[in-house]
Amino acid sequence: MPSALKLTEGAGSNVLVVELHRPEARNAIDRRMVDELHAVCADLEAAPRTLILTGSDGVFASGADIAELRERRRDDALAGINSTLFARIAALPMPVVAALDGYALGGGAELAFAADFRLGTPRLRIGNPETGLGILPAAGATWRLKELVGEPLAKEILLAGRILTAEEALAARLITAIHAPEDLLQAAHELADRIGRQDPLAVRITKSVFHAPRDAHPVIDQLAQAVLFESEAKFDRMQQFLDRKRTS
């Protein structure tokens, strides 16, 4: 059986590009893709790199595989097949960039919501039509979307089935930029390169602190800063800054 993903290492081995590749099903997320993405997460947890998620054939992911979803029952829902994966992706040590073209619907939208950054193309259509199928978006949309776009728009998407265009998603800051389809992956790489120019340990710790519960601050900030204050990169990078300032 062919893989549901295509993996490419970026330049310098600090970026991994993962292409969702089920073109016959518009990259619908099935159990095989979930299992393969778990393997990707295990790799990135062991060897942290920035992850770029993208689709194939002009589609990010049209949703969960409906034929498979149709047969799932209570115990499958309680197992959190997609939600467990998306939580793992959101918790990866280094940032995740979702490069969104065409449809990002249902589970595809929820996968995008789990990323740290989302870029789109003019033909992007993103939303959660699950209630029209008699279910709810149970893999993160009911709480991540409110945090991303605010309660009124989140309710319109979740309860009334509104699908956002690229321009609407940009206005809501659900995506941060719109690029031509042929430029989308390059833009994702440029963002990954900017991340790569930062100190990797500082990026990892900042991401962890950012997602810490509100009542964990400011203690967690101080402890994280204490770790970074002792890192060699802090001394080297600050010395380089001072050296450049003296010669400018």
Side-chain angles (χ1 to χ4, degrees):
M1 182 178 292
S3 173
L5 305 176
K6 287 186 175 182
L7 278 59
T8 307
E9 293 283 351
S13 297
N14 60 357
V15 177
L16 178 66
V17 180
V18 172
E19 177 188 309
L20 310 182
H21 192 73
R22 294 189 67 220
E24 75 285 356
R26 292 187 175 182
N27 302 327
I29 300 170
D30 64 353
R31 189 58 187 262
R32 175 167 51 107
M33 185 183 287
V34 167
D35 291 342
E36 291 182 14
L37 284 169
H38 272 298
V40 167
C41 288
D43 176 35
L44 293 173
E45 288 159 356
R49 289 101 83 202
T50 296
L51 171 62
I52 296 175
L53 287 170
T54 188
S56 57
D57 289 3
V59 175
F60 180 67
S62 59
D65 189 295
I66 300 300
E68 189 177 271
L69 198 62
R70 167 69 173 76
E71 301 306 314
R72 289 184 183 172
R73 305 301 293 269
R74 175 192 60 203
D75 289 348
D76 297 306
L78 293 174
I81 295 170
N82 286 1
S83 61
T84 300
L85 170 65
F86 298 167
R88 192 174 184 183
I89 288 172
L92 284 172
M94 293 294 284
V96 178
V97 180
L100 309 173
D101 191 15
Y103 293 116
L105 300 175
E110 290 182 297
L111 174 56
F113 301 157
D116 298 289
F117 302 95
R118 285 161 296 278
L119 307 175
T121 71
R123 59 193 182 194
L124 172 65
R125 298 295 182 269
I126 186 168
N128 291 92
E130 281 91 341
T131 53
L133 296 171
I135 58 174
L136 64 83
T142 55
W143 54 277
R144 283 198 180 99
L145 191 53
K146 179 170 62 176
E147 294 176 352
L148 290 169
V149 303
E151 184 173 320
L153 181 55
K155 282 183 174 177
E156 192 172 357
I157 293 168
L158 297 173
L159 305 180
R162 179 175 174 183
I163 305 299
L164 300 184
T165 66
E167 290 292 344
E168 290 169 335
L170 181 63
R173 303 303 293 165
L174 184 57
I175 61 175
T176 56
I178 297 174
H179 301 276
E182 62 272 19
D183 297 330
L184 179 63
L185 193 55
Q186 179 59 35
H189 276 288
E190 290 172 359
L191 176 54
D193 289 344
R194 294 204 302 274
I195 295 168
R197 289 194 289 271
Q198 315 308 308
D199 173 50
L201 180 61
V203 171
R204 289 181 61 179
I205 291 180
T206 301
K207 178 175 175 177
S208 295
V209 171
F210 184 91
H211 289 292
R214 174 67 180 84
D215 58 6
H217 301 278
V219 173
I220 192 171
D221 305 64
Q222 296 161 357
L223 292 173
Q225 191 74 299
V227 171
L228 291 172
F229 271 11
E230 298 298 323
S231 71
E232 288 299 321
K234 173 248 188 179
F235 291 100
D236 292 343
R237 286 173 174 261
M238 289 192 177
Q239 189 60 53
Q240 291 168 9
F241 174 85
L242 293 171
D243 292 344
R244 288 195 302 270
K245 189 174 180 181
R246 290 191 190 100
T247 58
S248 62

